[in-house]
Amino acid sequence: MQTSEDLQDDFLFIDDSDEDEIIDGNNEDAWRVLIVDDDPEIHSVTQLALSDLIVLGRRLEYLHAYSGEDACKLIEQNPDIVLVLLDVVMETDDAGLNVVKYIREDLQKEDIRIVLRTGQPGYAPEESVIKEYDINDYKTKTELTRRKLVTTVYAAIRSYQQIASVTESRRGLEKIVAGSARLLGFHTINEFTNASLEELTNLIDQDADCLFCAQGQGIIENANDLSFYVIAQKGFSSLLAKKKLQSLHNDQINNQVKACFTQKANQYLDDSVCLYLAKGLYRVVIYLTLTAPLSDVQKQLIEVFLTRLAVGYENVHLFQKLNNAAYKDWLTSLPNRLAFVHLLDKFAKNNDGDDVAALIDLNHFSDVNDALGQDVGNQLLAAVAQRLQTLGCNCKVARVGADVFGVIGSKDCLTPAALAQLFEEPFVAGEQNFPINACFGFCTKKHANISGVKVLNQINIALNLAKKTRLEQFAYYDPDLEDETQWRLNMIRQLRTDFANNRLELWYQPQLSLSSGRVIGAEALLRWRTAEGKFISPAVFIPIAEYSGLIIEIGDWVVHQACAQIKQLNEKNFDQVTISVNVSIPQFRRGNFVNTVLNAIKEHKITPNLLELEITENILMDDPQVVIDALTQLKSHDIGIALDDFGTGFSSLNYLQKLPLDRLKIDRAFVTNIAKEGQSVIAETIIDLSKKMNLKVIAEGIEETEQQERLIELGCDEVQGFYFAKPMPKDEFLVFLENNRLKCQ
Ligand code: C2E
Ligand code: MG
Ligand code: MG
């Protein structure tokens, strides 16, 4: 406290003050004091008494009111008044007390200090008023010597200052609590860092320009260096986010940030601040350009807030990592299946009718994995992922399964042709080039369900159809497909139960030699009689058995039944009658098909050449080498091989040469009109071809005598058809054989 040395304790109010002399020109740093008194003399005397007073480094500046009413107005207009020296009795006996009430109750100002003064001791306010309204002091004017006045004012302003600083701290802490809670709501680094800068400037009540800086590696995508990058910014004219701090071209800021980072300490200057944040693996510097120097309280508040920020920043990184683990594919960094479902959710719900979603399934990817190892497989998948991202038009690509990718894009861009084009060139993995084919399933917005999971299911249905369609490698989802899928699922269930309940039977259709009329063999054909006694055609249930994989078990059973039948025929002295069995592709794919057949032959003790396997050309198309290898092995054990439905498929003649064949079967399609003029060309060609290749030839589906006659003319060896006999149960077949033997004797 600085007061004039020659203070006189007994110096009371004097009337020769000069206001002009004591008004402080520098208002900013002054404490504003309001003198309220209806006696003008009191104003000048008070001012004079306090003229040299400096409180906590600041001078006093005065405002004057001469009535309670004026005082209220001035207080309302000047929020920075810190002290009111208030006369109690003015226009009314309690005018001063009304001002007190106005300050505390109406304006709700708790911090303004009030010193009550009265000329008449009898007008002293109640003690309760002093307590209730937080009155600093109550003095009679006569009590107030200059020294006492100075002491009273000094104490009041000091108390104001303490209250103000407590209030500032409290408000700051409230801001920190609220700001930290708000920050908790942000889960991406981008959102969190931007919001941090907002909260920080809000805390110090300054519209400061700021930068959130960190070293790039591991923080900024594709940045592998340790130079400083701007993660977020507030203010600054140029866009800096995700760019190097250097791009700001401000050496001063650059150096400040670096210094703060190396010294690991906050640096407060009058015009700027650099704050250092460290938690776990994460280090950050926040730079602020100040518009005014920070108060001590503000600095303390910042320190408190920084601890919250550091924790929040680490958390948001951990959250990001968790998020990546949950939604990103580790190998390709593409969105994973879960993320794709979310994308499909948006696709399903948005109103853009031009969008399409697709699944891409690589064909035979597992072969690459098995043959060349997972490393090469992974490289191949990464190469495919990279190429898919070149589709353009903002197509979103995801990896939804081992070798299945998902794409969402506009229908003009995401077309079967565009996808097919991506697979034209081989992919590079390791040292090698891999030509890869793929199947595509699509679902347009028009047919899309409203939930992502269901849309995924819809595209899957289309993809499965694409996989089964041999000519085209894509399919679009159609609601009818779903009915078909449901139907198929029911059939699979029913077939599985009926097979387990022995409802499948093997029937036999005789095959005859055209020259002798003898039965030389029979084709074994499956029959499915349901519990209701209804027959379901093999043309219907065989594809379902193949699709579900059930054909493997059923096929084994057929081979055993056929071998048992051969055995029984042998025992009845039909030891030249062959039995032909149809074989499907899944049976070959299983790998131990050859052994299954050889074991059956051994088990039933039959001569191998009495068993013949019928394969169709389509089997060859899928996996020619697997089939050729298996058949060559079987052939080496003397098992017969026939090519079924010849002429209807797409196999090349090249494969024909490689297959260890015994017979060609002319499909019924080329037999039906064979007796008509000019309609026998194909049958004729097949017969010639088989002769040249030294193969036997059998015609299927003979229903009329004319067809038989024409086949004799063409030199066909053998026949099978309703004209001779329909497929029949094994007991009837025995009877048929007996009758035929008698006929041919
Ligand atoms: P596929 O191997 O070509 O069998 C010949 C089909 O033609 C049989 O039909 C037979 O009943 C029918 N057929 C024979 N002669 C005539 C005729 O003169 N006129 C007419 N309209 N049809 C005749 P099915 O028994 O309905 O079998 C259909 C297909 O189901 C078979 O064609 C074969 O591909 C498949 N299949 C049947 N049994 C088995 C089996 O055990 N395993 C496998 N993988 N497929 C089987
Ligand atoms: Mg057949
Ligand atoms: Mg056939």
Side-chain angles (χ1 to χ4, degrees), residues 644-645 665 667 700:
D644 202 358
D645 305 343
K665 291 191 82 173
D667 192 73
E700 287 188 273

Side-chain angles (χ1 to χ4, degrees), residues 252-268:
Q252 197 207 324
I253 296 183
N254 239 316
N255 294 338
Q256 261 177 279
V257 169
K258 266 186 208 158
C260 177
F261 198 82
T262 12
Q263 289 160 23
K264 300 187 166 77
N266 301 336
Q267 293 174 349
Y268 297 97

Side-chain angles (χ1 to χ4, degrees), residues 39-91:
D39 178 354
E41 249 187 70
I42 297 290
H43 286 257
S44 42
V45 170
T46 305
Q47 245 177 270
L48 187 64
L50 301 173
S51 60
D52 292 335
L53 187 61
I54 306 262
V55 182
L56 302 167
R58 288 159 74 175
R59 311 195 57 173
L60 307 189
E61 184 204 299
Y62 302 97
L63 294 167
H64 300 273
Y66 297 90
S67 67
E69 206 179 315
D70 283 353
C72 292
K73 277 186 202 148
L74 278 176
I75 292 164
E76 200 183 346
Q77 288 159 6
N78 296 279
D80 50 354
I81 290 172
V82 299
L83 170 63
V84 183
L85 297 172
L86 183 60
D87 189 10
V88 177
V89 182
M90 288 178 288
E91 62 267 42

Side-chain angles (χ1 to χ4, degrees), residues 509 523 526-527 538 582 584 644-645 668 700-701 703 722 727:
Q509 185 177 31
E523 177 173 8
L526 268 170
R527 291 294 176 262
N582 295 284
S584 296
D644 202 358
D645 305 343
R668 188 161 68 88
E700 287 188 273
E703 293 182 347
F722 292 176

Side-chain angles (χ1 to χ4, degrees), residues 428-496:
V428 182
E431 310 268 279
Q432 308 181 47
N433 282 341
F434 293 94
I436 291 280
N437 289 322
C439 290
F440 318 125
F442 292 88
C443 180
T444 58
K445 179 77 184 102
K446 184 176 149 211
H447 290 311
N449 195 291
I450 43 154
S451 103
V453 185
K454 291 202 171 130
V455 178
L456 188 61
N457 195 36
Q458 290 176 311
I459 321 174
N460 237 326
I461 291 173
L463 180 66
N464 281 333
L465 181 70
K467 284 196 216 165
K468 273 185 281 149
T469 331
R470 290 198 171 89
L471 285 180
E472 289 194 305
Q473 53 185 2
F474 71 91
Y476 277 85
Y477 170 81
D478 187 296
D480 292 347
L481 289 176
E482 211 145 356
D483 301 340
E484 202 186 304
T485 310
Q486 197 53 48
W487 170 84
R488 194 185 309 123
L489 282 175
N490 289 338
M491 287 292 273
I492 292 171
R493 211 171 300 133
Q494 205 186 339
L495 179 58
R496 186 169 283 128

Side-chain angles (χ1 to χ4, degrees), residues 523-525 580-583 614-616 644-645 665 700 720:
E523 177 173 8
L525 293 161
S580 306
V581 165
N582 295 284
V583 184
E614 287 191 10
I615 57 150
T616 61
D644 202 358
D645 305 343
K665 291 191 82 173
E700 287 188 273
Q720 172 186 344

Side-chain angles (χ1 to χ4, degrees), residues 614-662:
E614 287 191 10
I615 57 150
T616 61
E617 286 178 275
N618 291 337
I619 282 187
L620 278 175
M621 280 188 67
D622 261 32
D623 230 331
Q625 204 50 51
V626 173
V627 177
I628 290 170
D629 290 349
L631 292 180
T632 311
Q633 241 181 304
L634 289 164
K635 181 76 216 162
S636 71
H637 287 88
D638 224 13
I639 291 160
I641 315 284
L643 191 55
D644 202 358
D645 305 343
F646 187 64
T648 57
F650 302 92
S651 69
S652 85
L653 289 177
N654 180 29
Y655 287 133
L656 208 57
Q657 270 187 319
K658 291 187 183 159
L659 281 172
L661 292 177
D662 296 288

